[in-house]
Amino acid sequence: MSTRVLKIHPADNVYVALTDLKAGEHVVYNGSSTTLTENIPSKHKFVMQALTPESEIVMYGVLVGKATQLIPAGGSVNTRNVKHTASDFTGRNQKQEWKAPDVSRWTGKTFLGYQRQDGQVGTANYWIVIPMVFCENRNVHAIRQAFEDALGFSRPDAYKTFVQELVGLYQQGKQHAIQSHNYNPDVPAGRSRIFKNIDGIKFLTHEGGCGGTRQDSEALCALLAGYINNPNVAGATILSLGCQNAQVDILTAKLHQLNPTFSKPLVILEQQKEGTEQSLLINAIRNTFIHLIEVDKQERRPAPLSKLVVGLECGGSDGFSGISANPAIGHTSDLLAALGGSSILSEFPELCGVEQELINRCVDDRAANRFIELMRAYSRAAEAVGSGFDMNPSPGNIKDGLITDAMKSAGAAKKGGTSPVSDVLDYTEYVTRPGLNLLCTPGNDVESTTAMAGSGANMMLFTTGLGTPTGNPIVPVIKVSSNTTLANRMPDIIDVDCGAVISGSKTIEQCGEEILDLIIEVASGRKKAKATLLNQEDFIPWKRGVSL
């Protein structure tokens, strides 16, 4: 790979600047050349040959926009001279053959996981406490305060210590010393964990369950059922007020519809039946503690890599995401497919323009037609509230070179690799087929990661070019950087740096293989993802039709 300029696909008519390029520079790439008419920042695009108004802009081999005015040779492609345009799509019009990657070095390898009675395998062992309605959030917080310190699941708060030190300086009349007082992240270790085989108790508060549409409450129940059924969860405490739309019987019906053989322990309490708040909390704490004693008897055992279900996410994307980090985890996804494992590609607004490729990769017409139906329904719903898919790129995306949704989508879809699409799922539906699964979610990072955990992901890969602190309460999230600058600037959140692909020192395949090796280590509990170490535990249910 050139270290200055890249043409991603032979059919492309735009080039990517891999480093800052200056106006007046003469650029040569594989027989094409031009003199730049303006500065081209790193990650942004330019043309070698002039484009007239309405000329198609092609990247990754697909249509990503049209010129709105003359773009001279050597000129930049930007929001002033390009508009979002994407190709239409139909049913499967050709069958795509897939050559699986060589996975011989992983044949027979295992990870150490928690094997559930239904055949799923967890990469962690959590108990979860969930409210059926936002009215119970306060009681969930009370249980959290009661349990975390006592059981050794909380981490000492260095920032609290820092504030206490600042208060001390103020009380001593040393305000002048506050500005120069240093923060010390090293604090004494907290209480040792009481239960050695439990990774923690997670508390999934939310703002739903009542007051919205009945459909929202039903979707919330289905999502919570998915979390309870997730292999990383050993059992759950469920708090209901009693009068809300999201009723416990809806949740249990969704749970047994999802898994007819469901057998995990559940503690279910309804405040309007329990009476006093104290009675509710005492019963919730006592019964949960009793179950924790039993859950702690579960231990990690070897499991085949086919039991991995890996969610694929991107957030804070930049102009390098679709060149380095996304195709790297796409290769990891292909390796998993070849090993009999599963992966999940979500964020439907960020598949705009690459629909036909994914349709042709579907294993059958049923899956292809389901994808078409869901994409078109989502697009109509977005347009109905005045927000088409073309409004998906964020200001940060645009600033770093992703100027149309189709351009962003073409790079985002690389997370799904090249393997066949084995199944297409609607929001809250659960993964049951090995291989690549498409899951209908918004492009919003947290709504999407929240959904993938609810659909059975026991690991997640999250690529970023700008840096985001997203994590999940029950699923380890491995962060993959598209560029080395980010990895060096935010080392506390980045687990893997794929910037070596941009510099040319590593291939996409090498990075993808390294990521799979890291997944095995994290899934076995031998390493922790940075998001887990930082307690990044984001949980936002999707209110359908509102979010891109």
Side-chain angles (χ1 to χ4, degrees):
M1 179 188 290
S2 165
T3 58
R4 293 179 60 75
V5 174
L6 174 67
K7 183 180 180 181
I8 300 171
H9 187 278
D12 293 357
N13 60 359
V14 296
Y15 296 74
V16 183
L18 301 182
T19 187
D20 291 343
L21 303 175
K22 300 297 183 183
E25 282 194 50
H26 189 66
V27 177
V28 179
Y29 186 88
N30 284 358
S32 297
S33 65
T34 191
T35 299
L36 299 178
T37 61
E38 56 188 304
N39 293 336
I40 310 295
S42 172
K43 308 177 187 179
H44 287 255
K45 290 81 185 171
F46 65 96
V47 296
M48 291 276 196
Q49 296 180 333
L51 296 180
T52 57
E54 293 302 311
S55 293
E56 294 186 346
I57 308 292
V58 178
M59 274 189 70
Y60 300 95
V62 299
L63 176 66
V64 298
K66 285 188 177 181
T68 58
Q69 61 190 56
L70 175 68
I71 306 176
S76 70
V77 173
N78 53 62
T79 54
R80 298 182 301 279
N81 58 26
V82 171
K83 63 182 178 181
H84 165 83
T85 312
S87 297
D88 198 7
F89 52 94
T90 60
R92 286 200 302 169
N93 55 31
Q94 64 182 51
K95 184 178 180 181
Q96 293 195 352
E97 298 296 330
W98 184 55
K99 183 179 179 181
D102 179 12
V103 292
S104 56
R105 61 173 281 205
W106 293 278
T107 302
K109 276 200 170 185
T110 61
F111 71 97
L112 296 176
Y114 294 94
Q115 300 191 22
R116 308 301 180 189
Q117 291 185 12
D118 59 6
Q120 297 186 93
V121 179
T123 63
N125 199 31
Y126 290 116
W127 187 274
I128 60 174
V129 180
I130 55 177
M132 294 302 300
V133 62
F134 58 84
C135 308
E136 291 299 315
N137 283 349
R138 179 177 177 277
N139 290 325
V140 171
H141 287 306
I143 296 173
R144 181 174 196 159
Q145 290 177 331
F147 268 130
E148 283 197 329
D149 283 341
L151 299 185
F153 291 131
S154 63
R155 292 181 175 88
D157 191 341
Y159 300 109
K160 185 175 181 179
T161 301
F162 183 55
V163 172
Q164 290 171 345
E165 292 169 354
L166 297 181
V167 169
L169 291 172
Y170 171 74
Q171 291 177 333
Q172 296 167 32
K174 298 179 180 178
Q175 290 94 324
H176 62 281
I178 291 176
Q179 184 64 43
S180 59
H181 185 67
N182 290 325
Y183 164 72
N184 179 14
D186 297 323
V187 295
R191 183 191 296 266
S192 60
R193 277 169 38 184
I194 304 301
F195 298 119
K196 305 302 182 184
N197 294 318
I198 300 176
D199 292 297
I201 305 177
K202 300 302 176 182
F203 303 84
L204 279 57
T205 56
H206 57 81
E207 302 304 317
C210 204
T213 66
R214 295 297 175 92
Q215 290 86 347
D216 285 339
S217 293
E218 187 160 332
L220 176 64
C221 288
L223 178 71
L224 297 179
Y227 269 71
I228 296 169
N229 192 61
N230 187 287
N232 291 1
V233 171
T237 297
I238 301 160
L239 299 187
S240 170
L241 178 60
C243 58
Q244 73 277 348
N245 287 340
Q247 288 287 302
V248 169
D249 60 355
I250 300 175
L251 172 67
T252 54
K254 294 286 185 186
L255 189 54
H256 289 284
Q257 178 184 345
L258 187 65
N259 186 350
T261 64
F262 180 82
S263 59
K264 294 177 185 177
L266 298 178
V267 174
I268 303 175
L269 295 166
E270 187 172 295
Q271 186 169 6
Q272 289 170 346
K273 288 182 179 178
E274 291 293 320
T276 67
E277 181 179 287
Q278 183 183 72
S279 176
L280 173 77
L281 292 174
I282 294 260
N283 285 333
I285 291 169
R286 177 188 293 113
N287 291 330
T288 299
F289 192 88
I290 290 170
H291 284 300
L292 290 175
I293 295 171
E294 294 303 310
V295 168
D296 190 48
K297 296 175 182 177
Q298 300 171 3
E299 296 182 347
R300 291 183 182 270
R301 290 187 289 149
L305 301 185
S306 59
K307 293 296 184 179
L308 291 170
V309 183
V310 180
L312 310 169
E313 181 70 24
C314 59
S317 299
D318 71 347
F320 286 163
S321 292
I323 302 172
S324 60
N326 288 352
I329 72 169
H331 185 63
T332 307
S333 175
D334 287 347
L335 293 171
L336 284 167
L339 289 163
S342 305
S343 57
I344 307 172
L345 179 64
S346 56
E347 302 179 290
F348 272 28
E350 296 179 10
L351 300 178
C352 176
V354 294
E355 295 97 338
Q356 193 62 56
E357 176 194 338
L358 292 168
I359 289 165
N360 291 340
R361 285 168 57 185
C362 288
V363 295
D364 53 35
D365 287 338
R366 179 203 63 82
N369 292 336
R370 186 93 192 282
F371 179 55
I372 293 170
E373 174 188 314
L374 288 171
M375 281 295 288
R376 288 185 170 157
Y378 196 160
S379 180
R380 288 193 300 268
E383 290 170 359
V385 295
S387 294
F389 285 173
D390 61 300
M391 300 180 71
N392 175 268
S394 70
N397 296 149
I398 294 168
K399 181 181 178 182
D400 260 46
L402 301 176
I403 61 173
T404 72
D405 184 52
M407 183 182 292
K408 180 180 179 182
S409 296
K414 295 299 179 184
K415 301 192 303 292
T418 61
S419 67
V421 174
S422 61
D423 207 358
V424 177
L425 308 171
D426 199 359
Y427 181 63
T428 74
E429 291 181 339
Y430 211 80
V431 170
T432 59
R433 296 186 181 185
L436 179 64
N437 293 255
L438 304 183
L439 174 65
C440 184
T441 77
N444 177 284
D445 305 346
V446 178
E447 287 174 328
S448 180
T449 52
T450 296
M452 289 192 290
S455 289
N458 57 12
M459 288 291 301
M460 287 189 206
L461 296 173
F462 189 117
T463 69
T464 181
L466 304 176
T468 84
T470 303
N472 184 267
I474 64 168
V475 180
V477 178
I478 294 173
K479 293 281 180 50
V480 182
S481 171
S482 73
N483 63 90
T484 301
T485 300
L486 169 63
N488 291 337
R489 187 175 66 248
M490 303 180 77
D492 59 329
I493 72 167
I494 298 299
D495 298 282
V496 181
D497 175 21
C498 284
V501 173
I502 302 300
S503 68
S505 59
K506 285 184 183 178
T507 66
I508 287 168
E509 291 75 18
Q510 286 172 327
C511 284
E513 291 172 359
E514 290 174 5
I515 291 167
L516 178 56
D517 289 336
L518 179 59
I519 286 174
I520 295 169
E521 291 299 296
V522 174
S524 299
R526 291 187 289 264
K527 287 187 177 179
K528 288 191 180 296
K530 300 284 182 69
T532 302
L533 293 172
L534 290 173
N535 281 340
Q536 292 166 347
E537 300 174 354
D538 305 292
F539 178 80
I540 303 180
W542 178 28
K543 285 192 173 182
R544 194 120 194 195
V546 175
S547 179
L548 285 179

